[in-house]
Amino acid sequence: MEFTAIKGFKDILPEEAGSWQVLESTTRRLFSAFGFQEIKPPLLERTELFSRSIGEETDIVSKEMYSFKNSKGRGLTLRPEATASVTRAYIQHRLYQKNPVQKLFTIGPMFRHERPQKGRFRQFHQINAEIFGDPGPKSDADVIIMAMYLFDSLGFDDLSLNLNSLGCLECRPAFREELKGYLRDKTDALCSDCRRRVEVNPLRVFDCKVEGCIQIVSEAPSILEFLCETCKVHFERLIGYLERLNIPFVLNHKLVRGLDYYNRTTFEIQTTRLGAQNAVLGGGRYDGLVKLLGGPDHPAIGFALGMERVVSLLEEKVASEEKNPDLFVAALGGNAEKVCFNWIMELRKAGMWVEMDYGSKGLKAQMKRAGRLGAKKVFIIGEDELASGKGVLRDMETKVQDEVDLKDSVANLLRAMG
Ligand code: HAM
């Protein structure tokens, strides 16, 4: 039997690793300038944490979670997203006691049993950023601007920032009723899932991918017309911050996002280059979640970026940045091999990428390997060189050869390599 990765789970191969590293290092640099600290919650949590946070009626909880029971019969789930886990950790470790405003980020895999397709996997990776403890639109602007700057640093220029407000407990009920009324008139044309959603959670109809339902919601009433004064002012102030920094956005009143914890600001960054799975980042405010999970009444906002989708758009650029060893040491004969083995370790410790053959091949084979690896220089040491006390350093591009004194060879090599 041949083992292959299971459906929807994918290997990230060495040739792709460069793009992942660029994405991670750009993120870390930018996020630290915005004052975010890293947190690493576990991948496995109690099932109720997700069902309560994300909502029983959502696609994620109703059909996409990898859940099982442990030996005590307790339901456990591989996290489908990170916000619930980060919030649980925020509450459990009382992170708010150290700092009333906590800015946290986490990078790692998530698991959703969705139908795999281009840009959609069952194990995928997200970069999550969350701010706890600030209710105002400035923290909304903070996370949205940080997200836009991240894409800017990565060289993306085709993105569209979609913005909406879902209102609050004051104003959303009136909108829900209005939407219910609108949808009830059209139940016959809705899919069977949406017919049920009309009564339990009508906003979820906006997420439906069935053509008939998309048609119906395209003419649905807009939540933006129903915002109370506080939500309206919050949203307008956020828009002001974005406009003053010339961050372009489009208002999209159908952007309800697929998770129930959101209130007020929601946003999604979309690209035209990915087909159906066009969202590279999504987020919003979730002021009620900390309290819902048993913590203090602290507001929060955040987003998650889909790393596979972003990396797939990055790949071309990073693949062209080839990486090659600084030096290949060609040792010929048992004595030279022993001496060179010690040298390469010292050179590596000093930070130089040095390669040496694991076997005992002849010069021709070793030069061939050095060429294949793209080594910039080759240091050749055989019995003759050991006897004369001088090794040969060959520049693979110019073919120029220099002699290097073997006394203090490591220091001499480091110097000769610049
Ligand atoms: P989400 O919209 O479910 O939000 O996921 C965020 C991003 O993760 C998506 O925009 C997409 O790029 C990526 N993503 C989601 N599912 C998949 C998949 N099956 N395969 C590949 N990529 C995928 C959340 O997860 C929220 N927790 C975001 C958030 C953080 N809201 C507040 N804080």
Side-chain angles (χ1 to χ4, degrees):
M1 177 186 177
E2 195 187 328
F3 290 109
T4 52
I6 58 176
K7 196 173 167 195
F9 288 64
K10 127 181 164 46
D11 297 305
I12 297 166
L13 298 172
E15 64 251 33
E16 299 162 78
S19 307
W20 287 79
Q21 284 161 10
V22 166
L23 174 55
E24 277 203 32
S25 59
T26 311
T27 298
R28 285 175 197 283
R29 223 178 9 251
L30 183 72
F31 283 20
S32 70
F34 275 79
F36 281 73
Q37 287 184 308
E38 189 163 9
I39 180 168
K40 285 193 162 289
L43 306 192
L44 201 61
E45 300 269 4
R46 297 260 182 90
T47 300
E48 304 92 272
L49 174 69
F50 300 116
S51 49
R52 250 208 256 171
S53 309
I54 301 167
E56 299 280 0
E57 270 305 309
T58 58
D59 281 354
I60 298 178
V61 172
S62 64
K63 39 190 168 186
E64 295 169 1
M65 297 210 296
Y66 282 90
S67 301
F68 61 95
K69 291 219 176 346
N70 70 3
S71 56
K72 295 200 174 101
R74 186 170 275 170
L76 300 177
T77 292
L78 276 173
R79 64 177 186 193
E81 59 111 50
T83 309
S85 305
V86 174
T87 306
R88 194 249 329 117
Y90 172 81
I91 299 166
Q92 182 179 340
H93 305 286
R94 295 188 166 76
L95 297 183
Y96 43 88
Q97 285 180 345
K98 292 184 194 117
N99 191 338
V101 175
Q102 279 285 341
K103 303 187 201 176
L104 304 170
F105 78 96
T106 191
I107 302 180
M110 311 293 150
F111 304 86
R112 295 184 194 174
H113 193 268
E114 293 187 84
R115 201 168 46 77
Q117 64 178 82
K118 186 169 178 250
R120 195 206 270 158
F121 305 94
R122 290 180 172 170
Q123 177 182 311
F124 59 98
H125 296 73
Q126 282 186 344
I127 294 171
N128 271 257
E130 318 284 0
I131 300 183
F132 292 92
D134 182 70
K138 239 187 231 155
S139 48
D140 301 27
D142 231 15
V143 292
I144 294 174
I145 291 164
M146 183 168 81
M148 294 303 279
Y149 283 179
L150 177 58
F151 285 113
D152 201 44
S153 315
L154 294 167
F156 285 64
D157 55 11
D158 70 315
L159 298 174
S160 126
L161 166 64
N162 281 242
L163 207 57
N164 192 21
S165 173
L166 294 179
C168 64
L169 295 178
E170 295 266 305
C171 52
R172 206 185 309 164
F175 173 70
R176 266 173 66 112
E177 285 315 306
E178 178 78 12
L179 182 63
K180 262 189 196 177
Y182 170 82
L183 294 171
R184 270 190 202 127
D185 285 347
K186 303 178 168 51
T187 34
D188 289 350
L190 290 171
C191 73
S192 57
D193 277 344
C194 284
R195 256 177 252 153
R196 193 174 35 82
R197 288 175 184 139
V198 172
E199 298 311 319
V200 262
N201 197 343
L203 268 77
R204 290 272 74 87
V205 179
F206 283 107
D207 282 339
C208 188
K209 304 284 182 292
V210 175
E211 195 45 53
C213 302
I214 295 177
Q215 203 62 41
I216 289 173
V217 295
S218 69
E219 282 164 29
S222 162
I223 182 133
L224 293 174
E225 310 282 319
F226 284 76
L227 297 184
C228 61
E229 200 47 33
T230 325
C231 287
K232 214 162 131 192
V233 170
H234 183 106
F235 199 50
E236 282 167 0
R237 282 181 55 202
L238 164 63
I239 287 174
Y241 291 124
L242 299 179
E243 283 177 344
R244 279 192 291 281
L245 278 165
N246 294 322
I247 307 258
F249 60 87
V250 284
L251 292 182
N252 177 356
H253 72 92
K254 295 195 283 283
L255 183 73
V256 293
R257 312 260 309 117
L259 307 96
D260 278 354
Y261 48 58
Y262 293 116
N263 66 301
R264 290 204 175 134
T265 312
T266 54
F267 55 97
E268 208 162 87
I269 299 180
Q270 297 168 356
T271 165
T272 48
R273 288 188 284 160
L274 273 180
Q277 302 307 315
N278 64 353
V280 285
L281 179 147
R285 184 161 276 288
Y286 48 100
D287 292 332
L289 187 61
V290 179
K291 187 148 184 243
L292 180 79
L293 295 178
D297 193 2
H298 288 179
I301 177 148
F303 66 72
L305 169 153
M307 295 180 80
E308 277 77 3
R309 293 183 192 177
V310 173
V311 164
S312 74
L313 300 172
L314 262 184
E315 233 137 37
E316 276 163 49
K317 243 174 289 157
V318 182
S320 59
E321 250 178 55
E322 271 205 22
K323 290 196 191 130
N324 310 98
D326 301 305
L327 182 68
F328 186 92
V329 176
L332 306 162
N335 289 335
E337 274 172 31
K338 278 190 209 124
V339 177
C340 291
F341 190 78
N342 286 4
W343 288 344
I344 68 159
M345 291 306 165
E346 283 184 54
L347 289 165
R348 286 170 172 175
K349 203 172 173 193
M352 190 185 282
W353 179 7
V354 192
E355 288 296 334
M356 185 179 155
D357 206 71
Y358 282 128
S360 304
K361 298 204 178 81
L363 182 61
K364 207 166 150 202
Q366 293 202 47
M367 290 305 284
K368 202 164 154 194
R369 168 122 198 275
R372 215 176 260 161
L373 285 169
K376 293 175 195 110
K377 296 194 180 189
V378 180
F379 190 46
I380 305 161
I381 302 284
E383 295 297 334
D384 291 351
E385 284 74 18
L386 283 180
S388 70
K390 296 212 184 300
V392 177
L393 184 65
R394 180 181 167 88
D395 188 306
M396 294 294 272
E397 205 184 299
T398 61
K399 314 281 183 245
V400 172
Q401 302 206 150
D402 288 317
E403 281 197 335
V404 175
D405 210 323
L406 297 188
K407 206 158 148 260
D408 288 329
S409 55
V410 170
N412 287 337
L413 272 173
L414 282 170
R415 209 172 304 121
M417 296 290 297

